[in-house]
Amino acid sequence: MKHLPAFIDLKDRSVLVVGGQAMACRRTAMAQRAGARVTVVAPQLSPDFGNLRTPFVHQARTFEAADLAGVVLVFVACEEDPDYESRVAKRAGGQDVLVNVADRADISTFIMPSIVDRSPIVVAISSGGEAPILARMLRARLESLVPAALGKLATFAGTYRDRVKEVIPDVQRRRRFWERMAGGAVAESIYSEQPDTAKSLMADMLEAAKSDREAAPTGEVYLVGSGPGDPDLLTFRALRLMQQADVVLHDRLVPEEILELVRRDADRIYVGKKQGDHSMKQEEISRTLVNLAKQGKRVLRLKGGDPFVFGRGGEEIEMLAAEGVAFQVVPGISAANGCAAYAGIPLTHRDHAQACVFVTGHAKEGELELNWQALVQPKQTVVVYMGLISLSQVMASFLAHGADPKTLVAVVDKGTRPGQRVVAGEIATIAQIVQAAELTGPAIVIIGSVVGLREKLEWYANTDRPVS
Ligand SMILES: C[S@@+](CC[C@H](N)C(=O)[O-])C[C@H]1O[C@@H](n2cnc3c(N)ncnc32)[C@H](O)[C@@H]1O
């Protein structure tokens, strides 16, 4: 190991920053985050320093040896004058003051790691100055893996430290207790901002520990939106919950590439719904969620798009709430947002649409119960979910309610997925064009002049366009 990893307590201690440009400002901010009192020595300061929220002392001149008096460490960042940097570093080194010169590990006595800050948890990564880019890449990976609220969990755990020690004196048992706490429902409640639930679960765990029992695992349900299909559109939280679930109930719209990201040994239950073919009735799905959670399982209910946009997610959690089962809802990118973005069609645009309406084209007993008057409005985009089968009916109703037959329409089939196809036309013609294109769905219909922007803004491969 080339350097000793260590975390230095800088609270109320003096730190010197030599330099007045952006990097010196970043060092100042970092030292201030650790509670240091910072003096900046530089003839002039860049405007970046104006954004610092914590006060610092500015000496508007060049470095003098006396600046080192009482200082714990020095940051030097004057890349415009490497000789000056070397002189300051030498002087600091001569007085045994720790010195870091930005991007010059060779003349530094300490180097700055890349950090993942979930205070009080902080991960520091160093390549010993050899390959900072690799350290930064690793950091980026960790940023996506470590829950943003890990720090909150650490603080929460800290408030229970003494109590847990008192109730469980044995070190081994205590370690197992903390492992269960950090990998289970208590941690999830903290991550999802439900501190009261976390406290009550912690009380149950401690009560069980007193009588030498292990609290029965607490089941919970994660209602997670998996987005329109591209696995890269999953949220960090969705992925984390997918990787810790014991069982997953998934829809027809969730593709295999996404299911493969669920914990390998999780049980899979297919509850897909296709028109006329309901593998499991809604009531049965909700009941299954409740039963599995009551058995202590972490149940992932994975839905295409967003669970609260034409996803019946609300109905599923109503039963959970009534039965007192803990749950959390993770939003997903809805098909409307995903398809519009991947088709190059902005849903709103200052020159075209100031409103956007999502409606369902699913006909109940052949009837579409929509407020057509409200849909046929200027400067508005209408997105029709489940509108492929009823497309000609929807278009006819638009026309019957006064829509301009030349209004642009796009149908996005398998949006955000490798086989995405975008077929465009006008209200009067689109149904025929779509029929000829033999789209298979899932597909979404976008109506409005924003569709015309696609000519300029299309970027994602569209299999309906010839590849040149
Ligand atoms: C039951 S709704 C579910 C909507 C989902 N909860 C959401 O937020 O996107 C199913 C409809 O969503 C649309 N849809 C879902 N994924 C799609 C995709 N990848 N491309 C186009 N449309 C999609 C289709 O209109 C499909 O019939």
Side-chain angles (χ1 to χ4, degrees):
M1 196 168 20
K2 204 164 150 200
H3 295 90
L4 175 76
F7 289 85
I8 307 173
D9 183 359
L10 288 181
K11 181 115 188 75
D12 292 328
R13 305 185 74 191
S14 297
V15 164
L16 179 66
V17 175
V18 180
Q21 297 304 307
M23 175 56 97
C25 180
R26 284 203 288 279
R27 297 296 198 227
T28 303
M30 183 67 92
Q32 286 180 330
R33 263 163 72 186
R37 282 184 277 113
V38 182
T39 299
V40 181
V41 174
Q44 272 162 0
L45 297 183
S46 74
D48 307 79
F49 280 86
N51 298 328
L52 293 177
R53 300 227 176 106
T54 313
F56 60 93
V57 176
H58 176 211
Q59 301 288 3
R61 53 168 173 74
T62 53
F63 168 81
E64 292 167 4
D67 293 328
L68 294 169
V71 157
V72 187
L73 48 89
V74 184
F75 290 110
V76 185
C78 308
E79 56 177 8
E80 66 284 3
D81 190 349
D83 290 343
Y84 176 55
E85 287 188 326
S86 303
R87 284 200 303 280
V88 178
K90 199 166 170 199
R91 198 65 196 233
Q95 293 192 23
D96 281 339
V97 178
L98 288 171
V99 59
N100 169 269
V101 185
D103 293 327
R104 294 186 65 185
D106 54 321
I107 58 167
S108 300
T109 53
F110 76 98
I111 55 175
M112 292 297 285
S114 289
I115 62 164
V116 179
D117 188 359
R118 301 285 190 275
S119 292
I121 304 281
V122 177
V123 183
I125 306 150
S126 162
S127 66
E130 302 287 341
I133 189 73
L134 291 184
R136 263 177 244 141
M137 279 168 66
L138 187 55
R139 191 202 112 188
R141 286 266 180 94
L142 289 175
E143 285 285 6
S144 64
L145 290 178
V146 181
L150 188 71
K152 280 191 189 158
L153 180 64
T155 307
F156 177 83
T159 61
Y160 283 90
R161 254 179 88 117
D162 294 343
R163 179 93 185 96
V164 172
K165 216 171 191 171
E166 196 183 297
V167 174
I168 316 172
D170 178 69
V171 181
Q172 294 291 336
R173 270 193 67 217
R174 200 160 66 233
R175 205 194 60 207
R176 282 202 301 277
F177 176 93
W178 282 123
E179 281 170 1
R180 278 201 314 281
M181 177 271 192
V186 174
E188 274 314 319
S189 307
I190 292 291
Y191 297 152
S192 54
E193 296 289 343
Q194 303 180 76
D196 291 341
T197 310
K199 281 183 203 156
S200 122
L201 291 170
M202 196 69 177
D204 291 349
M205 282 182 76
L206 280 167
E207 209 44 49
K210 268 193 220 159
S211 47
D212 225 8
R213 289 183 289 119
E214 245 181 42
T218 317
E220 53 190 329
V221 175
Y222 315 134
L223 177 61
V224 174
S226 67
D230 182 347
D232 277 359
L233 296 180
L234 284 167
T235 61
F236 292 155
R237 180 171 292 191
L239 190 59
R240 185 167 52 73
L241 296 177
M242 285 162 71
Q243 289 175 353
Q244 70 184 34
D246 300 311
V247 51
V248 52
L249 280 78
H250 62 94
D251 276 357
R252 185 177 57 88
L253 282 177
V254 181
E256 190 55 36
E257 297 91 303
I258 288 184
L259 283 172
E260 271 171 19
L261 300 173
V262 176
R263 211 180 92 196
R264 292 244 169 263
D265 49 352
D267 293 332
R268 283 190 193 186
I269 304 176
Y270 173 68
V271 295
K273 289 189 218 114
K274 208 158 114 189
Q275 272 197 338
D277 153 37
H278 289 231
S279 321
M280 222 195 237
K281 293 248 174 320
Q282 190 60 52
E283 162 84 14
E284 215 184 319
I285 297 175
S286 305
R287 180 54 52 204
T288 308
L289 293 176
V290 169
N291 291 345
L292 288 167
K294 285 193 171 171
Q295 289 164 23
K297 299 228 162 81
R298 290 168 296 185
V299 189
L300 173 71
R301 174 68 177 107
L302 200 55
K303 284 183 160 288
D306 180 89
F308 281 1
V309 177
F310 300 122
R312 303 189 75 173
E315 289 160 61
E316 291 181 13
I317 57 173
E318 260 174 53
M319 190 186 279
L320 298 174
E323 297 270 352
V325 171
F327 63 85
Q328 56 173 295
V329 184
V330 182
I333 293 185
S334 176
N337 298 94
C339 294
Y342 277 51
I345 303 172
L347 292 177
T348 66
H349 187 288
R350 276 195 351 182
D351 301 334
H352 295 269
Q354 275 71 50
C356 175
V357 188
F358 294 177
V359 294
T360 169
H362 179 62
K364 259 190 197 164
E365 288 154 15
E367 285 297 311
L368 282 168
E369 291 168 5
L370 293 171
N371 180 352
W372 297 105
Q373 226 64 60
L375 297 185
V376 182
Q377 292 293 330
K379 300 242 168 197
Q380 173 169 276
T381 306
V382 178
V383 180
V384 188
Y385 278 77
M386 295 166 277
L388 192 56
I389 294 174
S390 56
L391 187 64
S392 46
Q393 207 180 339
V394 172
M395 294 301 116
S397 297
F398 261 79
L399 291 175
H401 290 83
D404 177 353
K406 293 209 162 305
T407 307
L408 297 176
V409 183
V411 178
V412 185
D413 186 68
K414 297 190 200 63
T416 82
R417 304 180 188 194
Q420 171 174 304
R421 293 172 71 188
V422 185
V423 179
E426 296 169 357
I427 286 193
T429 57
I430 190 72
Q432 270 173 320
I433 298 173
V434 165
Q435 198 179 16
E438 296 181 347
L439 303 183
T440 51
I444 209 153
V445 184
I446 305 177
I447 306 161
S449 65
V450 286
V451 170
L453 295 164
R454 175 172 154 260
E455 292 297 326
K456 281 189 277 180
L457 306 181
E458 188 182 46
W459 60 275
Y460 185 74
N462 176 13
T463 50
D464 257 34
R465 289 268 158 108
V467 179
S468 51

